[in-house]
Amino acid sequence: MRVVVKPGKEASTAAAINSLSALAREEVTDVIDILVNAISLQEAKEVLLGDMVLEGNSFSVSIKENFQFVVAGLLGQSEGEEMLLIELIRCG
């Protein structure tokens, strides 16, 4: 699937990414890679397990540091079957 940042959320998403540690940024990259390579959101959820909540065409993914501390949330929605709009929100 094609993953793009939601229009109007580019600056806040970039700021959230830049405020994360290197490990957390790597986690964001891994989640986006999973979304890009998944055939469907359901397939992505199967890979991300409990870190992803899927409700209709909307989803959220918890970005964790050291597999335990949630430091950000990746929020998104599908636009058709081929495109996902995402934004990243920093926690805390």
Side-chain angles (χ1 to χ4, degrees):
M1 289 187 274
R2 184 170 170 236
V3 177
V4 296
V5 176
K6 287 182 184 177
K9 300 293 184 179
E10 297 91 349
S12 61
T13 294
I17 289 171
N18 290 333
S19 71
L20 296 174
S21 69
L23 284 174
R25 283 194 305 270
E26 189 173 316
E27 181 73 16
V28 171
T29 301
D30 291 346
V31 168
I32 291 172
D33 285 345
I34 290 167
L35 293 171
V36 166
N37 292 308
I39 294 170
S40 66
L41 284 175
Q42 188 59 44
E43 182 181 78
K45 181 169 177 39
E46 290 171 10
V47 174
L48 294 167
L49 302 173
D51 289 336
M52 183 175 191
V53 175
L54 179 59
E55 294 181 11
N57 70 337
S58 297
F59 64 92
S60 64
V61 180
S62 299
I63 305 299
K64 296 180 180 175
E65 193 165 70
N66 297 328
F67 301 101
Q68 55 185 323
F69 302 109
V70 176
V71 294
L74 186 89
L75 308 177
Q77 64 189 48
S78 62
E79 291 291 315
E81 294 187 20
E82 295 297 318
M83 186 163 79
L84 301 175
L85 300 176
I86 63 166
E87 69 178 293
L88 187 75
I89 299 174
R90 176 97 161 110
C91 297

